[in-house]
Amino acid sequence: MKAIIQTIDWQRLLPSNKVQWAVTLSGLLATTLILLWGIVRPPQAAFDDAYITYRYADNLRRGLGLVYNPGDSVLGTTSPFFAVLLGGIGLAIQDLELVGHWVSIAGWIIALWGAMAMMWQARRPRAAVVGGWLIALQPAMLSSLGMETSFLVALMLLTAWAWLSRRRRLLPPLAGALLLTRPDSALWLLLLGLQAWQRERRLPWPEAAVTLALLSPWLVFATVKYGSPLPNSVGAKIGQTNLMPVSGLEPFIQALPGSLASSLSAPLALLYAATIAGGLWLVLAYDRRWWWLPAWLLSYSLIYTWLDVVSFPWYFVPPLVASALLSALAIGHLLGDTGQVNTSSTPSLRGKSLGRLVLGLALFLTLSTAFAVATTRVARGSWGTRPAYREAAKWLATHAEEEASVATIEIGAIGYFSRRPIVDTMGLVTADMTTHQVGWVESLVYALNSHRPTYVVTLPGTAWDQIVERWWFRTDYEADAQFGDLTLFRRRPAREQYDVATEVPFAGGITLSGVTIEDRRLHPGNELDVWVNVTVSEQQESSLLITAYFQDAQTYEQHSVSRALAFDGLYDSRRWQPGDELHIPLRLEIPAELPPGAYRLGVLFYDPRFDGGRPLLETPDQPSHGIVLGWLSAGTPPALALDDLRRHSVGVNWENGIELEALELPQGVVHPDDTLDLQLQWRTHRQIERDLTVFVHLIDNRGDIIAQLDQRPFAGRWPTPVWLEGEAYQDLIHIELPPSLTPGNYGLRIGLYDESGRVPLQTGRDFWTLSGVIVAELP
């Protein structure tokens, strides 16, 4: 501020010392008022979005870089310059809430003096006084403390003052700082450049080149580190408004008049609007040097409306300040401003000068009083951040592990105070969420499915209401803490799961990459929860139905067929994005009378656009009844049928984890054309993936096969993939003996195989032999 005052040629510009002192005293009183606003309004009252920038500043000063989540290079703050400024000051002052608050106050004060300097430069000292007070009394400036907003407005007005007063050395650093504070300020600079062209018949290319040179280190750094100098939050917010509309929100250009009048009664709002219109009339009819100001106001409003930007309060602050300046021009004119040395051609209102003066004073005092009341109301009003967010964040900082991730819709205070990894469901700082702003509920479902956060912060009256009572959410999460109406859910401890990996392509860019089952045992009368793992490579045109069932491994009879939309329709396939890896939950009802035995899970995708649904088949030879995978079992194996056998403990181990613990043989002799009954006692030491067949050979003393039986365990009713680790299984074997069997002693050869070959023993051989244990006689 001191530098600004020193650079002004007061002797040339000021009409008299009395005017100079009047304007300066007015500015000092307005500055004092802003300082009082800063004392009355606590730093903790900032909007939640302010804490996003605070977290960037906090990580920067802690040496973690200009990032939100350490190790994740995403530029999620729209104001990197403001974040760097806070981080630098934060090296000396630990409380960034306090730093952000008072830096905003400083920006507000600079904005006040910048506006006054602009008006003074235009020879409108009375408008300088009026404009200064209207800015000092702006309720929106007070409510947005902690944000970069007042700092942005200060740089905008300083840049305009430097531009209009031809202080070209100040232009590039101010313009560069302005662009780094908010990229949308480029519109302000563009219109100022056009104003310079109108005034000087030249475009400010030299100033633009120096500005670009000053910005180039940041542009290179941001491109390398973040992939783009444009903040990720810009695309995220545009995506939110285009694909995630909020009911009841007006377009920006319609909401702006309401924002102008929100803190005033209807008559006062109309009065204020009349002064703004008077300023516009003055600009268009007589003092066209100011044409860029209403042009910027209109352009800003139209662009924000075209982009369908959500009407957050702080977005209205720059146009509200511009409107206040137009109002100040009108009131200042009533009070005697001319804007020219020669006043003969300036407009005049009907009536005497005293009447104009009285009208101007009345308008100034009336509007100042109304704004003072409104701003006082804001100073004592509610905070911009839910107190529950602060409580939840501090609970997380105390109870959650440092690496525990937290998913939430609003990430400001929760992220700043918890210092935990944040899954930003709105996509400001979580890069992949930016491309998944496809709907309020859909985005939350994707965040849960893709990131699997440790904690979830939910609020009633939001999209969480459609999710938190779903069985698949309650399966994964349980309520852990409550803060007012905010519920903090924690992911349940990991449970033993049965994962089946596969790679089955379907038409339309869908690949079945496996299933996850919580329990391999089917419990009749209960449910079976299944997660179908899907990889997406193409955008889907229809709402696919996912079908799951289990079929009897022997009879192929299907049971419990379930066909449903993905995530109960909360994340429909038309919303899926290429690259998604989804874990789609399905629940199957298990029949109460389900026969004991082995079952396999089947999965298929249907396109409902065709009658009855058409299965999505990638190749003609793909089974239309579905892809069968994942072994399940119901009940227990049948009880042993034979008791008159003698037991041989053998302890033979195959390399896949199967052990033959014991062999039970007939007590006496066998005869030709009889049946040889054996019992094999198996035990598994790890999960068996292969569907194995047991072969048992009756061999003579030369090793020749006399009789044999190849059989899946329990005649295929209990195949090896359903055997559970650590369990013992006793299988009954019946071998038909040939009529030509001669008397003598015989041995047994036992092994395991499938279509890929025999399973080796741990000793390296592919079968085990027991000699001379069967005695055959003639009848």
Side-chain angles (χ1 to χ4, degrees):
M1 184 174 64
K2 182 179 178 181
I4 295 172
I5 295 174
Q6 289 176 344
T7 57
I8 298 177
D9 187 352
W10 298 105
Q11 296 298 323
R12 183 172 65 86
L13 295 178
L14 290 176
S16 69
N17 286 333
K18 291 181 180 180
V19 176
Q20 173 187 350
W21 282 107
V23 173
T24 303
L25 180 60
S26 175
L28 291 173
L29 290 174
T31 298
T32 303
L33 179 62
I34 293 175
L35 291 172
L36 290 175
W37 292 137
I39 294 171
V40 173
R41 181 78 167 175
Q44 297 81 10
F47 284 119
D48 190 73
D49 280 42
Y51 292 87
I52 300 175
T53 303
Y54 292 172
R55 173 149 166 165
Y56 273 91
D58 185 39
N59 284 332
L60 181 63
R61 71 175 177 180
R62 290 164 58 202
L64 301 174
L66 191 63
V67 294
Y68 187 87
N69 288 320
D72 192 4
S73 296
V74 178
L75 185 60
T77 174
T78 53
S79 184
F81 185 67
F82 192 63
V84 171
L85 177 64
L86 297 184
I89 300 174
L91 293 173
I93 304 174
Q94 290 298 305
D95 188 349
L96 284 180
E97 272 187 311
L98 191 67
V99 172
H101 179 80
W102 286 105
V103 168
S104 294
I105 289 291
W108 193 354
I109 293 172
I110 295 172
L112 159 73
W113 287 96
M116 294 178 66
M118 264 204 327
M119 295 295 186
W120 187 269
Q121 177 69 34
R123 301 181 186 274
R124 293 188 176 276
R126 295 160 186 82
V129 172
V130 176
W133 280 99
L134 290 181
I135 289 175
L137 293 169
Q138 276 294 322
M141 290 285 272
L142 181 59
S143 64
S144 63
L145 290 180
M147 302 286 292
E148 77 280 356
T149 312
S150 62
F151 190 73
L152 170 73
V153 171
L155 288 171
M156 289 172 64
L157 296 177
L158 283 180
T159 304
W161 165 76
W163 206 292
L164 298 175
S165 61
R166 295 180 173 87
R167 287 169 170 79
R168 293 174 181 170
R169 292 183 179 180
L170 289 176
L171 281 173
L174 287 173
L178 180 58
L179 289 169
L180 288 179
T181 300
R182 272 248 297 269
D184 60 347
S185 59
L187 177 64
W188 180 266
L189 296 176
L190 174 63
L191 288 170
L192 286 175
L194 292 176
Q195 197 276 346
W197 174 81
Q198 180 194 37
R199 181 183 63 190
E200 303 175 13
R201 293 305 178 201
R202 75 169 186 93
L203 290 173
W205 294 116
E207 293 86 348
V210 176
T211 301
L212 182 61
L214 292 175
L215 286 174
S216 58
W218 164 257
L219 297 177
V220 172
F221 169 79
T223 302
V224 172
K225 184 172 180 63
Y226 307 114
S228 171
L230 191 66
N232 184 73
S233 51
V234 173
K237 289 179 179 179
I238 293 175
Q240 291 170 19
T241 54
N242 288 338
L243 298 171
M244 302 165 63
V246 179
S247 59
L249 283 184
E250 296 178 309
F252 192 90
I253 201 167
Q254 291 179 240
L256 181 58
S259 180
L260 286 169
S262 61
S263 54
L264 303 175
S265 63
L268 289 174
L270 290 174
L271 185 64
Y272 185 46
T275 64
I276 296 172
L280 180 61
W281 169 79
L282 182 68
V283 169
L284 295 177
Y286 296 99
D287 198 351
R288 294 180 182 175
R289 293 173 300 172
W290 292 89
W291 69 266
W292 57 272
L293 185 60
W296 173 85
L297 179 59
L298 178 62
S299 302
Y300 181 94
S301 303
L302 290 175
I303 290 174
Y304 267 56
T305 303
W306 174 61
L307 293 176
D308 203 17
V309 174
V310 175
S311 302
F312 291 122
W314 52 88
Y315 290 148
F316 290 109
V317 174
L320 289 177
V321 170
S323 301
L325 294 179
L326 288 173
S327 177
L329 286 172
I331 296 174
H333 175 70
L334 292 175
L335 293 175
D337 279 342
T338 64
Q340 299 181 22
V341 177
N342 181 6
T343 62
S344 61
S345 62
T346 57
S348 61
L349 300 178
R350 293 182 179 180
K352 300 179 179 179
S353 298
L354 181 61
R356 291 175 53 187
L357 179 63
V358 170
L359 177 60
L361 284 174
L363 288 172
F364 174 52
L365 293 175
T366 301
L367 292 176
S368 296
T369 302
F371 277 124
V373 171
T375 309
T376 302
R377 198 159 47 239
V378 171
R380 299 175 178 175
S382 60
W383 292 3
T385 302
R386 292 173 178 265
Y389 284 170
R390 188 182 300 262
E391 297 173 30
K394 292 182 176 179
W395 185 93
L396 287 166
T398 302
H399 296 88
E401 303 83 354
E402 287 190 8
E403 67 279 3
S405 57
V406 184
T408 178
I409 291 177
E410 293 187 283
I411 66 171
I414 290 175
Y416 174 70
F417 288 108
S418 71
R419 287 186 173 175
R420 295 298 182 268
I422 297 295
V423 177
D424 175 18
T425 60
M426 296 292 99
L428 303 180
V429 300
T430 304
D432 68 309
M433 291 302 306
T434 305
T435 59
H436 285 83
Q437 300 303 297
V438 293
W440 288 101
V441 177
E442 291 89 342
S443 295
L444 297 182
V445 172
Y446 173 80
L448 292 174
N449 196 262
S450 178
H451 292 273
R452 303 182 66 80
T454 309
Y455 290 92
V456 173
V457 180
T458 69
L459 280 172
T462 67
W464 285 117
D465 290 345
Q466 299 186 53
I467 296 174
V468 294
E469 296 303 326
R470 302 284 174 168
W471 68 265
W472 36 268
F473 179 83
R474 292 290 180 168
T475 298
D476 283 344
Y477 290 93
E478 59 183 344
D480 202 16
Q482 190 78 32
F483 305 96
D485 58 352
L486 180 153
T487 305
L488 200 63
F489 286 89
R490 179 185 175 90
R491 179 172 286 278
R492 297 179 186 273
R495 298 170 296 278
E496 183 178 354
Q497 294 180 330
Y498 177 42
D499 293 309
V500 181
T502 186
E503 192 73 18
V504 181
F506 285 83
I510 298 293
T511 299
L512 175 64
S513 55
V515 294
T516 300
I517 309 168
E518 283 196 316
D519 192 350
R520 294 183 61 200
R521 293 181 183 270
L522 296 172
H523 303 281
N526 294 338
E527 296 99 5
L528 174 68
D529 295 338
V530 178
W531 280 262
V532 179
N533 306 324
V534 172
T535 301
V536 182
S537 59
E538 297 177 17
Q539 195 80 38
Q540 301 302 301
E541 297 180 357
S542 64
S543 302
L544 299 180
L545 293 169
I546 298 95
T547 294
Y549 57 89
F550 51 90
Q551 68 175 198
D552 192 299
Q554 271 191 323
T555 66
Y556 303 108
E557 179 184 1
Q558 291 187 359
H559 299 270
S560 188
V561 179
S562 174
R563 182 179 295 183
L565 295 170
F567 303 98
D568 301 326
L570 298 185
Y571 188 38
D572 185 83
S573 57
R574 290 176 300 170
R575 302 290 196 179
W576 297 352
Q577 304 295 310
D580 281 359
E581 294 184 359
L582 306 175
H583 312 279
I584 303 170
L586 294 174
R587 172 164 279 182
L588 306 182
E589 301 290 336
I590 304 174
E593 303 300 325
L594 186 72
Y599 296 84
R600 296 196 70 178
L601 186 70
V603 176
L604 190 59
F605 297 90
Y606 281 88
D607 188 335
R609 292 179 297 175
F610 304 97
D611 293 340
R614 177 183 294 179
L616 297 181
L617 304 178
E618 178 73 9
T619 59
D621 58 345
Q622 197 171 10
S624 61
H625 59 269
I627 305 302
V628 180
L629 69 170
W631 290 89
L632 309 170
S633 64
T636 57
L640 298 178
L642 301 176
D643 297 322
D644 57 342
L645 302 177
R646 68 181 186 274
R647 180 182 177 87
H648 293 260
S649 296
V650 294
V652 178
N653 290 279
W654 277 258
E655 67 175 19
N656 65 349
I658 292 182
E659 178 187 1
L660 179 60
E661 288 189 320
L663 178 64
E664 296 187 13
L665 304 171
Q667 297 279 7
V669 298
V670 297
H671 302 91
D673 215 15
D674 274 355
T675 300
L676 174 62
D677 298 322
L678 310 171
Q679 284 188 162
L680 308 178
Q681 180 172 312
W682 305 95
R683 185 176 296 275
T684 57
H685 297 288
R686 60 176 180 267
Q687 178 65 48
I688 309 302
E689 301 296 338
R690 297 166 64 178
D691 184 7
L692 299 173
T693 296
V694 178
F695 67 84
V696 180
H697 298 166
L698 182 69
I699 58 175
D700 59 19
N701 56 7
R702 293 178 301 181
D704 294 335
I705 299 175
I706 305 302
Q708 72 178 72
L709 178 70
D710 290 46
Q711 174 180 290
R712 294 167 70 211
F714 300 92
R717 195 67 189 147
W718 291 91
T720 53
V722 301
W723 292 6
L724 301 178
E725 183 178 342
E727 295 287 328
Y729 297 89
Q730 292 178 306
D731 191 17
L732 184 62
I733 300 293
H734 305 285
I735 301 177
E736 298 292 333
L737 298 178
S740 59
L741 184 69
T742 59
N745 294 334
Y746 293 87
L748 295 172
R749 179 187 296 156
I750 300 174
L752 301 167
Y753 71 93
D754 63 5
E755 66 276 3
S756 62
R758 291 185 179 182
V759 181
L761 297 167
Q762 288 184 348
T763 59
R765 302 188 66 189
D766 58 6
F767 58 83
W768 172 75
T769 303
L770 183 62
S771 302
V773 291
I774 304 296
V775 179
E777 294 182 356
L778 292 175

